[in-house]
Structures are given as C-alpha cells and as structure tokens.
Amino acid sequence: MIKLTNVSKEYPRRGLALTDVSFHVRKGEFVFLTGHSGAGKTSTLRLIHMAERPTSGEVRVSGFSSERTRDSEIWKLRRKVGFVFQDFRLLPHRTASENVAFALEVTGAPRREVRMRVQRLLTQVGLSAKAEAYVHELSGGEQQRVAIARALATEPLVLLADEPTGNLDEFATRGIIDLFRDINRLGMVVVTATHDLGLVRSYPDARVMEMKEGTIVYDSARLE
Amino acid sequence: MIKLTNVSKEYPRRGLALTDVSFHVRKGEFVFLTGHSGAGKTSTLRLIHMAERPTSGEVRVSGFSSERTRDSEIWKLRRKVGFVFQDFRLLPHRTASENVAFALEVTGAPRREVRMRVQRLLTQVGLSAKAEAYVHELSGGEQQRVAIARALATEPLVLLADEPTGNLDEFATRGIIDLFRDINRLGMVVVTATHDLGLVRSYPDARVMEMKEGTIVYDSARLE
Amino acid sequence: MPYALREALAAFRRTPVLTGLSSAMVALALFVTGLFGLATHNIRRAIEQVEQRVEIVAYIRDDAGRAEVAVAEDEIRALPEVLEVRYFSKDDALEVARRELPEFQEILAGVDVNPLPASMEIQLRPGSRTQENVSALVARMSAYPFVEEVRYGREWLDKVFLMRRVGAAAAGVLGSGFAVAGVLIVGTAVRIAIFARREEIQVMRLVGARDSFIRGPFLLEGLLTGLMGSLGAAALTYVTYVTVRYSLFNVAWIPGAWVGGGIAVGALLGVLASLISVRRYLEGA
Amino acid sequence: MPYALREALAAFRRTPVLTGLSSAMVALALFVTGLFGLATHNIRRAIEQVEQRVEIVAYIRDDAGRAEVAVAEDEIRALPEVLEVRYFSKDDALEVARRELPEFQEILAGVDVNPLPASMEIQLRPGSRTQENVSALVARMSAYPFVEEVRYGREWLDKVFLMRRVGAAAAGVLGSGFAVAGVLIVGTAVRIAIFARREEIQVMRLVGARDSFIRGPFLLEGLLTGLMGSLGAAALTYVTYVTVRYSLFNVAWIPGAWVGGGIAVGALLGVLASLISVRRYLEGA
Ligand SMILES: Nc1ncnc2c1ncn2[C@@H]1O[C@H](COP(=O)(O)OP(=O)(O)OP(=O)(O)O)[C@@H](O)[C@H]1O
Ligand SMILES: Nc1ncnc2c1ncn2[C@@H]1O[C@H](COP(=O)(O)OP(=O)(O)OP(=O)(O)O)[C@@H](O)[C@H]1O
Ligand SMILES: [Mg+2]
Ligand SMILES: [Mg+2]
C-alpha cells in the first residue's frame, strides 16, 4: 500500500531532512511513527501524500508512484489518502461542518449524502454540538477534531495522522485512536506520527517505527 | 499577581464559555491548568492576557485591572506577561531568531543586546541550529519552541503557556518544563494549560487547577 | 444552486472587506474609463457640429443662364454625398453684404450696378464630409462653364479636418492609455484579493480538490467582482453625467453600446485576472 | 538604520508579490491622472495660443490729426494690460483689403477716394485677456473723440472665452473625477495589501508592541509603495509623452510642479491609506 525505497529529501536552504528511508506498509497495518522533534516524521508523511517529491528514491502509494504521477493527477491520490495535518489546515471563515463537507463536495458527492456523513463524522469525534461554529470559534482540541473528521470523510484507503492528539486530553485521545483502530479493522491503513510514547505503549499490537535525524532507526516489523 | 473574581465570558453566538471563575495566583507560583478539550483553558489565559475582556467579573494582573486598563495601555501589560500560544502565532516570512527578536525590539532594547539574548534563548529551547530558518521551514515542534523562546524573551513576570508541549516529545517536554521551573524559581509566575496528566503528575509540588465546562472544578491550593 | 456559484457568493459573505474593496477598485478603474468615454463622446459630437458647417460656395458668372444653373443644381443635389444645395441670386448677395459688412455700406450704396455675383451653396451629408469628397466636388463645380470661382474656406476646413485627426489621435492615445491602465488595475485588484486567499487554495488542493473544482468559484467570484465593479462604474459615470448636465453645461450620455461593452469588459477582466492568479497559486502546493 | 525603515524595506523582500502588485496599482492609478494632466496642459496651451489673437481695433475718423492719435497711442501703450499697439493708416488698410478681399477688388479699384478708415490695433498681455479688460479698454477707446468705432470680434472672442470656461469646467469635472478615483484606487490598493497582513498586525499586538511601533513600518511601507507607484506613473506618463511627440504630434510636457505635486500626492496617499487600514486592524485583537 505504501512503499518508500531509498528515499531522501533535501530542502533548498536546509540540507537533508530525510536520508535513505525505506519501508513498506501493507494493507490493514496500523503504524506509529515516532521520533524527536525535527526527526522527519512530517516530512515522511508529506512525501506519502505527495505534497513534496523525494529528492531521490521512490514513493509508491496505492498504485501511484512519485516518479510517474503528474501534478495534475495528484488529486486522485489525495482522495484515497486522508491527512490530519499537524497544524490542522482548516479553511478559515467556515464552520466545522463546512470544513468537513468540503472534502466530500470535492468528490462530487450528492448534497444530502454529504450532510448525513458530515453529521455522523462530527458525532464520532465528539463535536456534533459545534457543527455550526466557525473555525475561529473553536478551541484548539476542537479544531483538531474537525481536522480528523475531514481526513476520514472520504473513507480513504490510507490515513496519515500527524500528531492528531497533540491538543487532546487523554480521554479524547483514546477515543480518537480507538476510532482509528475500528476503521483500521475495516481495512484502512493508518500511519500516526506521534511523540506520545504512552499512547504508543498502550497499543502493543501496532507497528512502531522510530525516526532519528531523517532515518528510520527502529522498526518493530523488522524484528519479527 | 493574577486574580480573577467571579469572571464570566460569553461569546456572541456561542453562549457562556466561562462561568463565575475565581482564583488567585501569587508571586512565585507554578500552576497547571488542566481540563478536557473545550473546558475553557485558553479562554482563561486570554482573559489574563487581556486579549479578551470578561463579560462580567474582574481580572487583575500585576496591577492592571480589566475594568480600568484602556486598550491603548494593554501593551504595557503584554510586556510583563509572556504568552505561548496554542497555535504558536509566529510572524510568517521571518526566521526563528527574527521572531524572538521581535518581542525584544518592541521594547526598544538595543540591537546588540537583542542579538545576544535571542541566541541564548534559542539555545535554551534547543534550537540554536535553526536560528536562521524561516518559520515555514521549521517542524511543528521547532515552531513551538520558537514560540516559547519568544514568550520568555522579555523576562516577563508572568508566563502563560497554552499547551506548550503538545508538539514536543517527552524528552523535549521535560527540558521545556524544567526551564520554566528554573525561571519560576527566580520569581516568574508560570501558568501552563495542558492535557498531559502524566506531565502534571511528574511535578507534584505544582499547583493544579482543573476546569470543566467553563468553571474551576478542582484547585489543589484550596485543599491545603 | 451549483457548488461553484454557491461558493462564489459565500466569498462575499466570508470576506466582505476584501471583496468590497476589490469591487470598489474595479468600479473606480472603470469609472476613469467611463469619464473618458463621456468626454470623448461629447468632443466628437462637438466636432461633428462644427463639421456641419462645411459648405462649398460656387460663384456664378453674371452671364450665366438661370435655366442652365438650375439643371446643374439638380445634378449636384442628386449626388449621394450632398445634403443640400441652395441658390443665392445677385440680389440676395447684396442683401447679405449690406447686413453683414457695414463698413462697405457706403461703397455699396454709391455703386449703381450690383457688383456681387450670384452663388450656389452646397452642404455635404454628415458621414461624407471628408477632404476627398470636398476636393472632388470642388473640381466638379469648377468644371461647369458658368462657374467663375469655387470657394470652400480651405483654411478653416483644413483646421476642422486637422482638429478631427488630432482629436481622434488624442482619444486613441489617451483612451488606450486609460483602457490599459484600467484593465491592469482591475486585474491587479482581483489578483491581490486572491493572493490574500492563497493558503485557502493550497488547503483545497491538499484535501483532494481538482484544479478545475478550485478554480470554478474563484472564476465566478472574479466575474461577480468585475460585474459589480462595472455596474458601479456605470452608475458613477451616470451620476457625473447628470451632475454636469444640470449644473454646468449640456452634455450627451455615452452610447448604450459603449456602456454595455464596458460592463462586459469589466466582467471578463475579473474572470481573466482570477484565472491567472488562481493558476499561479495552484502551481504551488 | 532605524527599526521602522528596516522593517518597511524587509516587507518588500518578504512579500514581493503583494508589494509589487500594490505599487503597480498605485502607478496605474496615478498614470491615469498623469495622462489627464498631459491632455489638460496641452489643451490649455492650445486655448492660450488662440487667445493670443485677442485684439481690439479702433477705427479712426478721417478728420483726426495724426499727432492727437499718436498721443493716445502712447497712453494706451502705457496701460499695464496692454502688450502692443499698432497703427494702420488709410493706405495700409486699402492695401490689406486689396490683398484679402479679392471680390471687392474691382469695386475698390473703381473708387478714387480711399473709403477705408485708419485704425489702431491693440493686443493684451497673456494674463490680462479677460472679458472685463476687453470691455474696459473698448469703453476707453470709444471715449476718444477721434475714434469712430471700436471692434473686437465680439462673437469670436465670446466663443474663445466660452471655450476657456467650458475647457476649465471640463478639466475641473474630469480632473476631479480622475483625481478622486486615483486617490481611492491608491488607498484601496494599500488597504488590501494591509488586509492580507492583518494577522501579522494582531500577533504584533499580542507580543506587546505599542500601536505606534506597529504603525511605523506600515506607514513607511505605504510611503514607499506610494512613492514607487508615483515614480512609476511619472515614468509611464513620460514614455507616453515621448511616444506621442515623436509619432503623432507635438505636445508639451507637463509642468515640473505638477509632476512633483503628483509624486508627493502619491506618497502621501500611501501613508494615509496605511494609516487608515492599520488603525482598523489595530482596533481588533
Ligand atoms: N520546507 C522546509 N524547508 C527546509 N527545512 C525543512 C522544511 N520542512 C522541514 N524542514 C526541516 O526538516 C527537518 C524535519 O522536519 P519534520 O517536519 O519532518 O520534523 P518532525 O519529525 O515532523 O518534527 P515535529 O515532531 O517537531 O513536528 C526539520 O529539521 C525541519 O527544520
Ligand atoms: N471566539 C469564540 N467564539 C465563540 N466561542 C468560542 C470562542 N473561543 C472559544 N469558544 C468556545 O469556548 C469554549 C472554551 O474554549 P477554550 O479555547 O477556552 O477551550 P480549551 O480549554 O482551551 O480547549 P482545548 O484544550 O481544546 O484548547 C469552547 O467550547 C469553544 O468552542
Ligand atoms: Mg511534524
Ligand atoms: Mg485551548
């Protein structure tokens, strides 16, 4: 489903952010990506989402290859890959439900269906009461949950969640990760970047990859 | 140092966010403000920073009263109160050090001193290597640390830190909170809003206040 | 209501300051063009009125037969470029001279034969008052044996023609200057407005929107901004026109086709500018 | 370099698109005004040239003594509003009439006493060609006993004066229209540019910046944008002027004071617009 082969990423002024990263995530896997701040977690997820292209190596996601997919085709990939951004990236001046609906409207889903799905998603992340609140009227954790609901809206094959619970309390965090697990059981690949080692430890059957200075230094799947 | 008396806050379209909140934080205290997402932590900190005025009740901070301080005088308060924003609020298109320097330039500090202080602060938060990186070139955790360095730049009397370690790993988190403790020992009041109960537990001598639906439901200082 | 339209209208609600300012800018840019149109149109009308006085006078020999002149008169009148032909007899001429040239009154009174010739005055049709037509007609008149001399106020007429050329050139230069400036201002206004929303565009891409899907509402928004701006410009120009007309002097309103064209151009520009800007920000992210 | 200036210059580096577009907009708006200035200045010059031909002619009785006329001539010449006085004798008049009025040649040839009067032609100084001055001078001339009649081409002169009034009114209306539109465009451009940076302003406030501290760089940025725009406008206008001059017809360049004034106005507008916008966003947060 996701395969990185000898991927390196160099930013113009800043040198190598990722060096020779290779891993393979198969259908149905549930992965935690950990590592210190600045280790390269977000960079890795952005490469999978094809928001960046690797400087060398190849990224393959669900049939899309970073070497062959044209910019004008990336939208097809994006509908199969949900992304919970570390900084949320909600559309300003819109309500919580408008933000979630946007990801569905994009696919041309009929309006009635959009409305129903949005309502269900907001309920799942515990925000049904805030559906009509504008983004700037939401607390940090509430915004994060809108971002989560949006990433799940299209029922993607892959969910990339970048620090999805950084603004959530323990209770809400468990709720969200349990939600991810449930959908994961239905087949969705989940890759969650997180610093929260406590969280990682509480899901002992998940695959854990640890990054350090742009390389994968530990991968629980490789030990088996 | 900080005193809230029967403070309520109502947002135009959304009803009461805070209801009858009262507490008193004295010089030298180190406080954790906890509570579920949406409980009112950020709202409380914003009231102390006078980014909002209470709908009723009074907020007093280091001699400034929410009832008497005019809008045009608030800058004086802001220089005594550092704020680590939950969403960072860095100035875009600027480097890490320019962002930290800004808080000092505002006070008219001489340029040489600004340069020296900025360097020291970035080193303290572990970012000296990224001083010249632009904000958009920094990872989430790196941006958060710039925000922390900026809040500390003016050596404020009060530090309000809103989820200051949400994007940091355990190790960096300890580093930051230890830094806060050190400065706290020199007299700075620190109020940290956080969901991370593990963190709260690891500083057992800190005062803990818990919020729920806009009210303070637990205050360790009141038990003594 | 289709998605793109709904979103475009929502933009006006979401960022009223931004869309308001951009529409105002478009209105002002096109108002400048409108004012210029008003001025040009009226100057052109004024020149046309002066041109109306273009006339060719043929002085007729005293020995010409009245019948022979009348035939020529009909021939000339039948020409397509001729509007009107009038005959003035020797007596008419004396009358006019007495009235209009008082300093010669004494002389003319003292003379017992009328020294003034009869004449034929020819006016051309509005569309045909060109230098070529005048020359051709002068040549034709001169060819009649009974015509002694043909006059057509050469100097004055040359001035009118020059005025027309200068006027047209000035209108061309100024008009194209204003038009280009207006076009660029409109374009720039819409582009700045979209610049302020570039992050939104990038988020939309990240969420899986096709470029065409993102573009739709922005193009419509550009169209609406351009349209609102043009209508505003038309209104501003009309108010100016009415104010001038009732407080200063009589001016004519711009032809409806110009107004329609201007509004269409404004709307089109809004769309084009959006297209260029959105494409620019779609290339990023 | 002081903080505000350093920051203002940095803005051009940080958001080149935004500042570039705003300056371009200011340039275009003032270019419109520049073009209009060019046109007005040249029309005014043209009217002045026509006015140069304003002259008053006093016809002198045949029985007047040459000495008495010469004294009057000197008196008139001494008046401050008079530029030139020329005397034409009866013979001069006959000469001119022979040359310019061929149809009367025969009549004039047949008369043995010269029927034409001597005359005195008076021209006014450029600044003094007003209707009042003309009337006063006519009255004064008529009062001389040797003057038979005073003529000053009343109809034609009235037309010139009317033309001047209409021209001034048109320039006033159009000019104020363009100026207002230009001013508003400049203002709006700077305001949109600052709108795009409103969050920055709010962050600055949150970090403890005084309003005056925040305002400084923005005002300077507005000044620079206005200044760059005005200089661009001056350059555009000059290019147009040169192009027209060498390819169409001879025009004069706008007086330096207008150019300087325009540039100053542009810069000032940039500052004012910044002030208004920044204040607006300072009131928030
Ligand atoms: N656009 C960019 N230009 C230059 N350098 C960048 C850019 N984006 C990221 N970097 C650098 O690459 C490194 C890895 O960044 P990344 O965002 O992947 O870290 P991360 O593991 O997500 O960290 P965090 O946990 O703090 O979010 C960092 O040192 C960062 O400064
Ligand atoms: N500007 C606003 N307008 C309307 N409602 C608001 C506004 N800001 C906050 N709220 C609401 O007030 C409540 C408290 O928000 P606050 O940001 O204080 O929560 P919080 O404790 O910081 O939560 P989190 O941990 O998620 O950041 C929330 O329900 C939020 O939706
Ligand atoms: Mg990251
Ligand atoms: Mg909060």
Side-chain angles (χ1 to χ4, degrees), chain A residues 49 51 71-72 75 78-79 85 89-94 98 102-103 105-106 111 134 150, chain C residues 1 3 6-7 13-15 197 200 202-211 213 283 285:
Chain A
H49 200 228
D71 276 0
S72 56
W75 59 273
R78 300 266 165 88
R79 294 187 189 177
F85 302 97
R89 304 270 182 131
L90 299 177
L91 293 169
H93 313 294
R94 296 183 204 222
E98 281 171 349
F102 187 81
E105 276 163 355
V106 148
R111 288 186 73 189
Y134 284 96
R150 182 179 64 182
Chain C
M1 191 160 38
Y3 164 80
R6 191 155 34 93
E7 275 294 299
R13 178 172 48 72
R14 285 189 197 123
T15 45
R197 293 174 61 195
E200 237 172 295
Q202 285 164 10
V203 171
M204 289 175 175
R205 280 204 107 194
L206 288 175
V207 168
R210 291 190 67 160
D211 290 359
F213 185 86
E283 272 157 16

Side-chain angles (χ1 to χ4, degrees), chain A residues 13-14 35-39 42 86-88 95 129-134 137 139-143 145 163 165-172 195-198 201, chain B residues 13-14 35-39 42 86-88 95 129-134 137 139-143 145 163 165-172 195-198 201:
Chain A
R13 292 160 17 95
R14 295 277 125 198
H36 289 305
S37 174
T42 301
Q86 193 168 9
D87 50 359
F88 317 153
T95 64
K130 299 276 174 184
E132 299 315 318
Y134 284 96
E137 297 172 341
S139 80
E142 287 162 354
Q143 289 185 23
R145 284 177 282 164
E163 207 71 58
T165 58
N167 288 278
L168 295 180
D169 52 274
E170 257 169 297
F171 178 78
H195 302 112
D196 189 345
L197 296 184
R201 279 180 224 117
Chain B
R13 295 164 12 99
R14 296 276 127 199
H36 290 304
S37 173
T42 301
Q86 194 170 8
D87 50 359
F88 316 154
T95 65
K130 298 276 174 183
E132 298 315 317
Y134 285 95
E137 297 173 340
S139 80
E142 288 162 355
Q143 289 184 24
R145 284 178 282 165
E163 207 71 56
T165 58
N167 289 277
L168 296 178
D169 53 274
E170 257 169 297
F171 177 77
H195 302 111
D196 190 346
L197 296 185
R201 278 179 224 116

Side-chain angles (χ1 to χ4, degrees), chain C residues 46 111 134 155 191 222 267:
Chain C
V111 184
V134 170
E155 267 186 35
R191 293 187 60 183

